[in-house]
Amino acid sequence: MSEGHRLTAAPATPEAAGSPALLLIAHGSRDARHAATVAALVERVRALRPGLEVATAYLDHCAPRIPRVAARLAEADASAVAVPLLLNRAFHAKHDIPAALRACGSALPVADVLGPSPLLLAALDRRLAEAGLDLGSPAVRARTGVVLAAAGSSDPAADAATRAAAAEWRRTRGWAGVEVAYASAAGPRVPDAVAALRRAGAAEVAVSPYLLAPGRLPDRIAEAAADSADLLADVLGSAPEVATLLLARYDRARRAVTAAPALTA
C-alpha cells in the first residue's frame, strides 16, 4: 500500500479474510474519549480492508489488555501482527509493548510505529482545514505559522523525529514557519512557540496537536492555544490518513514475516 496522499479503500478479497489479524495496540487512558477514538479508528480500518480481522488491546487504563487479547488469539490458533498506535519510536514502542508481549508468552511480530510518514502530514493538513484554515491558498500558508504540539518524550530520538516532521511539513507546504512545542517533558510550551512564530513575522498562528486521541495532554494544549493562538486544530484521531497508515504498517510487517522463511530456506 502506498503511503502517498491518495487514499484508496482496499478491495474486499478472499486474501484479506485469510490474512493474519491486525492487533492494534493503543496506550490507553482514563479519559473515555481515548477509547472512543480508537474504536472509531478501528471501524475506519475495517471499512478500508473488508474481511480483515482487527482486534484492539491496551497497554494501560483501558480494557482489554494485551495478555487477554494475546491469549484469545492463541486459543483460536490465529496468527496476528501487532501494530502500535504510536507516532514515534520512544519508550512505549521500544520497551513497553515488547515487554508486555513477552510477559504473556506471545511472539507476535510487531510493526513499525506510524511516524514518520507523509500521511501524518496529510492528516495534520486535514485537521487544520477542518478548523477553518484555507490550505488551498499559497498566500494563506505563507503568512501562517504553525505550532506542531506534541506530547514530548524523554527519548531524544523521538523528539528529533518530531522536529524532523515539523521541518518537512514546512518545506512541503510553504508555511511561514513551524515550531515544535511539548505538552509534557521539557519545553518549549505552546505559548513559547506561538510567540516565536509571531516574532518571526507570522501574521496568523495555528496550533496543530501531533497527538492521536483526546485526553489530558490535548486538553492542556487546547487551553494554552486559547490564550495565545488564532486557531486550534483537532487531534489526528480517526482521520482516514491514519487508518490508511495503520494498514501500510501492517502490510509491511506481514510481508516481512512471509518473506523470512524464504530467506532462510
Side-chain angles (χ1 to χ4, degrees):
M1 179 181 296
S2 170
E3 289 189 23
H5 297 284
R6 186 178 179 182
L7 299 179
T8 56
T13 63
E15 189 272 339
S19 295
L22 189 162
L23 173 57
L24 182 65
I25 299 182
H27 181 271
S29 170
R30 293 185 179 91
D31 191 315
R33 295 173 297 170
H34 178 93
T37 300
V38 173
L41 183 57
V42 166
E43 288 308 307
R44 195 176 287 277
V45 169
R46 287 173 175 153
L48 285 170
R49 187 69 59 86
L52 176 66
E53 180 183 354
V54 184
T56 305
Y58 293 93
L59 275 170
D60 203 0
H61 303 303
C62 300
R65 300 289 181 86
I66 291 174
R68 177 181 170 188
V69 180
R72 178 176 64 80
L73 291 168
E75 289 170 3
D77 197 24
S79 60
V81 172
V83 183
L85 187 60
L86 299 169
L87 293 173
N88 287 328
R89 186 167 172 74
F91 191 83
H92 293 314
K94 292 179 179 178
H95 302 285
D96 287 348
I97 289 176
L101 290 170
R102 285 196 304 270
C104 62
S106 174
L108 292 181
V110 181
D112 290 337
V113 295
L114 299 181
S117 170
L119 282 169
L120 290 176
L121 302 185
L124 291 167
D125 290 343
R126 175 185 294 275
R127 294 308 188 213
L128 280 173
E130 290 170 350
L133 192 65
D134 183 7
L135 268 77
S137 169
V140 169
R141 297 198 304 272
R143 66 171 182 260
T144 302
V146 184
V147 177
L148 188 65
S153 173
S154 59
D155 188 322
D159 284 343
T162 300
R163 292 193 298 272
E168 180 68 6
W169 202 21
R170 179 179 186 180
R171 185 188 70 80
T172 56
R173 305 305 194 267
W175 300 117
V178 178
E179 292 286 336
V180 173
Y182 298 111
S184 65
R189 296 289 192 255
V190 167
D192 304 321
V194 171
L197 288 165
R198 295 200 192 281
R199 287 195 302 269
E204 185 175 18
V205 176
V207 174
S208 188
Y210 195 51
L211 295 161
L212 286 161
R216 179 174 54 86
L217 295 183
D219 287 348
R220 185 181 297 173
I221 289 169
E223 290 169 5
D227 294 332
S228 58
D230 302 298
L231 184 145
L232 171 67
D234 200 357
V235 295
L236 297 171
S238 59
E241 295 85 357
V242 178
T244 301
L245 182 54
L246 284 169
L247 284 169
R249 296 293 184 246
Y250 162 83
D251 285 335
R252 181 184 297 173
R254 175 177 58 85
R255 292 180 186 124
V257 171
T258 302
L263 293 174
T264 57

